[in-house]
Amino acid sequence: MEFIEVSRAVGFPALLVYVAIVVLAHLFRWKRFNHMHALGVVVGAVCMVGLAAQFGLEGFAKYALMGVAVALGGYLFGLLGNRLPPRSR
């Protein structure tokens, strides 16, 4: 149950970080910005914090899991974003 409680506590600040990243991407007109990739990184970070709390990880194990979760989340969501049809403008 700690996974859910900690993920809920971290979820809203993570959403604010995602919104800030998207706003910056639009303000600076980043050409190669992938919304799904950025969302995957944020989701991976939230899941990592929940897993670390659930299993009581500390030190190197916690940060190694952080790297894997963020990279895997960004990669998988990036693949999903490439599979979705392009939006019409």
Side-chain angles (χ1 to χ4, degrees):
M1 292 304 275
E2 284 198 36
F3 176 84
I4 294 172
E5 293 170 5
V6 172
S7 294
R8 279 187 186 170
V10 175
F12 187 70
L15 177 65
L16 293 178
V17 168
Y18 173 72
V19 168
I21 291 170
V22 170
V23 167
L24 287 174
H26 285 285
L27 285 176
F28 293 124
R29 300 183 193 277
W30 294 340
K31 300 214 184 276
R32 296 184 49 125
F33 180 73
N34 186 345
H35 291 272
M36 291 297 287
H37 179 79
L39 182 63
V41 168
V42 172
V43 168
V46 170
C47 287
M48 184 286 309
V49 171
L51 286 173
Q54 182 70 32
F55 296 116
L57 298 176
E58 293 180 6
F60 177 76
K62 180 178 179 179
Y63 295 112
L65 181 64
M66 166 74 107
V68 170
V70 167
L72 189 62
Y75 176 72
L76 291 177
F77 274 65
L79 285 178
L80 179 64
N82 292 336
R83 300 275 181 194
L84 295 175
R87 60 181 181 185
S88 60
R89 293 188 184 232

